Amino acid sequence: MNSDTSYGESTARGTSGKGSSTSSTDKKKEKARVSRTSMILWHAHQNDIGAVRKLLEEDESLVHARDYDNRTPLHVASLHGWIDVAKCLLEHGADVNAQDRWKNTPLADAEGAKKHTMIELLKSYGGLSYGQSGSHFEPKPVLPPLPNKCDWEIDPSELDFSSSNIIGKGSFGEILKASWRGTPVAVKRILPSLSDDKLVIQDFRHEVKVLVKLRHPNVVQFLGAVTDKKPLMLITEYLRGGDLHQHLKEKGSLSASTAINFALDIARGMAYLHNEPNVIIHRDLKPRNVLLVNTSAEHLKVGDFGLSKLIKVQHCHDVYKMTGETGSYRYMAPEVFKHRKYDKKVDVFSFAMILYEMLEGDPPFSNYEPYEAAKYAAAGHRPPFRSKSYTPELRDLTEKCWAADMNQRPSFLDILKRLEKI
């Protein structure tokens, strides 16, 4: 995997398949292609028409680029309503009916996001609307959802727990691996004893409300929920690689290149979550809540939004701040520990602690208990740099991310730019 990739990592199509006999020239070409594939997806996401056009002039085949969720630049532009970018892609031969991992077309995305001008544009190019609720390629039509039920409500009889195993536990209940319509899934199941607890139900519904809005290659994908029968359940994609905490426990410190690639994935997911006007503050970013897509440990996704907050920002200069001690002590920002007002920069502080742990192999302040570690950090202390993997650039980035003054911490978009340069 390349350290300079951005947005969703490409699937690196077009490798020669010659194994060790592949020449260094072929490898360089492939690396450049993977980088360009990621770049066009990123620039489509950023509505940078100039950069998209320039990349297509250099390599027109990039119009068919795919991230590892099989989404094309046209999917990305359609979801956000970037008309000029979409027109440019279509003029260069983009497949208007390309299907992503969930079998959604660009038009299905535009309709879901209510981007009316984009809907008309795609239809004028022959765009069809099909996706999760049914496909033109299926031999039999899919029945519409039952009236008065949202399209993500799952019938618990469709969940197969016959070969399930517990993959996580919490005060609310447990997380199990199960099967839904033949697909492995992760199921967060609320304990029956808590099914009437108003606070638990409120938190559960809040997490569903947050997750249903999310769609990004570096964010765990929500599939559905059981909300009108007990036990209450939340269903997401199952990621075979486990969590980053366990990975670091087994592997120890990571190489600088691996840590940077992991950090890029986390920063991409967080940049998406922090995007205004609908800002989602995670508030519990830590290695246990960052999941590896597969056992080859190439990609990460941010998960567990039980403590997150969805903030509507009406104007770009609005101040949205909260108080209260929320999250995990070892990765907690000083302003949270001190019960002072805070905003989305608390996630940047936690990110710095995770980056430190990936490079050092040990959690920050590992010789302290979690509460004492948070107290020590709130007093102005920071863990010492020992690893040789900490280049001056990485050290400087980490120090800025865990700055005591949250206003001095960079945004995740700025972090992405710096990581890509490194």
Side-chain angles (χ1 to χ4, degrees):
M1 189 168 79
N2 304 304
S3 62
D4 60 346
T5 53
S6 124
Y7 193 67
E9 181 73 42
S10 78
T11 49
R13 287 168 175 74
T15 50
S16 63
K18 294 179 182 176
S20 58
S21 64
T22 305
S23 70
S24 60
T25 303
D26 289 341
K27 287 180 180 177
K28 286 178 181 176
K29 285 180 180 177
E30 182 56 31
K31 182 176 180 180
R33 173 165 179 75
V34 171
S35 178
R36 288 198 307 274
T37 297
S38 300
M39 283 169 67
I40 194 166
L41 286 158
W42 173 251
H43 291 308
H45 177 264
Q46 293 297 98
N47 195 23
D48 190 339
I49 178 66
V52 169
R53 185 175 284 115
K54 185 173 184 293
L55 283 165
L56 290 174
E57 286 170 356
E58 293 171 358
D59 183 357
E60 198 160 75
S61 70
L62 290 173
V63 78
H64 304 299
R66 300 263 184 168
D67 66 15
Y68 57 82
D69 279 328
N70 235 21
R71 291 175 65 72
T72 66
L74 187 57
H75 278 97
V76 176
S78 300
L79 182 66
H80 292 285
W82 306 142
I83 293 294
D84 290 339
V85 171
K87 282 181 179 177
C88 177
L89 292 165
L90 289 163
E91 287 164 4
H92 281 81
D95 181 358
V96 73
N97 290 317
Q99 287 183 291
D100 65 12
R101 171 183 164 190
W102 302 280
K103 298 192 179 300
N104 285 329
T105 61
L107 180 55
D109 277 356
E111 288 175 338
K114 297 180 180 178
K115 303 295 181 183
H116 302 295
T117 308
M118 181 65 73
I119 291 168
E120 294 308 312
L121 172 68
L122 295 171
K123 283 183 176 178
S124 73
Y125 276 82
L128 298 171
S129 175
Y130 45 87
Q132 294 182 75
S133 59
S135 167
H136 286 261
F137 297 118
E138 292 172 354
K140 294 179 181 178
V142 176
L143 292 173
L146 294 172
N148 304 319
K149 289 188 77 174
C150 59
D151 57 5
W152 45 259
E153 183 74 31
I154 288 178
D155 186 334
S157 66
E158 291 187 342
L159 294 165
D160 179 8
F161 292 98
S162 59
S163 58
S164 69
N165 58 296
I166 296 174
I167 54 179
K169 284 188 175 181
S171 56
F172 59 86
E174 56 197 6
I175 301 172
L176 304 113
K177 179 187 175 185
S179 177
W180 175 57
R181 298 182 183 179
T183 301
V185 293
V187 180
K188 179 184 280 191
R189 189 164 66 183
I190 305 300
L191 286 169
S193 59
L194 297 174
S195 60
D196 293 321
D197 186 315
K198 289 182 180 179
L199 196 58
V200 170
I201 294 171
Q202 179 183 316
D203 288 347
F204 172 81
R205 293 190 184 281
H206 165 76
E207 187 169 4
V208 171
K209 183 181 176 183
V210 170
L211 278 170
V212 77
K213 299 172 185 291
L214 305 183
R215 190 180 218 165
H216 188 275
N218 297 112
V219 174
V220 174
Q221 183 62 42
F222 169 80
L223 298 174
V226 177
T227 65
D228 60 1
K229 293 180 182 178
K230 294 176 183 177
L232 300 175
M233 290 183 275
L234 190 154
I235 297 92
T236 64
E237 64 178 323
Y238 171 70
L239 301 178
R240 291 174 175 80
D243 62 47
L244 181 59
H245 168 79
Q246 189 60 36
H247 184 73
L248 293 174
K249 200 173 177 182
E250 293 171 1
K251 303 287 184 181
S253 61
L254 306 178
S255 67
S257 61
T258 300
I260 290 168
N261 279 313
F262 279 8
L264 276 165
D265 277 350
I266 297 169
R268 287 176 195 133
M270 293 307 302
Y272 166 78
L273 294 173
H274 283 189
N275 185 47
E276 295 179 359
N278 297 315
V279 175
I280 294 172
I281 306 176
H282 193 289
R283 303 204 303 173
D284 197 20
L285 191 59
K286 59 182 179 181
R288 286 188 189 277
N289 290 340
V290 176
L291 304 175
L292 280 70
V293 172
N294 50 44
T295 51
S296 60
E298 291 179 349
H299 298 290
L300 300 180
K301 294 196 179 195
V302 178
D304 201 330
F305 294 87
L307 295 178
S308 63
K309 282 291 179 187
L310 175 62
I311 310 294
K312 295 261 184 195
V313 182
Q314 300 299 326
H315 306 287
C316 63
H317 299 298
D318 280 359
V319 176
Y320 45 99
K321 295 186 177 177
M322 299 156 289
T323 58
E325 197 174 287
T326 303
S328 301
Y329 283 120
R330 196 172 296 283
Y331 306 90
M332 185 181 287
E335 60 270 23
V336 181
F337 184 81
K338 294 177 180 179
H339 291 240
R340 293 178 179 170
K341 288 183 178 180
Y342 64 86
D343 62 13
K344 62 185 179 182
K345 292 296 182 71
V346 298
D347 291 339
V348 175
F349 182 92
S350 302
F351 169 82
M353 290 301 201
I354 296 172
L355 179 58
Y356 176 88
E357 187 168 341
M358 289 193 294
L359 289 164
E360 297 286 347
D362 289 315
F365 302 125
S366 56
N367 53 327
Y368 287 85
E369 289 300 314
Y371 179 84
E372 294 300 321
K375 186 177 178 181
Y376 196 55
H381 301 283
R382 297 293 180 268
F385 297 105
R386 297 191 181 96
S387 172
K388 291 180 181 178
S389 295
Y390 252 114
T391 63
E393 295 87 355
L394 277 173
R395 181 169 177 160
D396 181 63
L397 175 60
T398 305
E399 288 175 337
K400 282 184 167 57
C401 289
W402 68 28
D405 180 358
M406 63 184 180
N407 296 313
Q408 298 300 313
R409 297 173 203 156
S411 70
F412 277 106
L413 283 175
D414 291 332
I415 291 168
L416 274 173
K417 290 173 185 174
R418 292 189 60 164
L419 284 171
E420 284 162 1
K421 285 181 181 176
I422 295 172

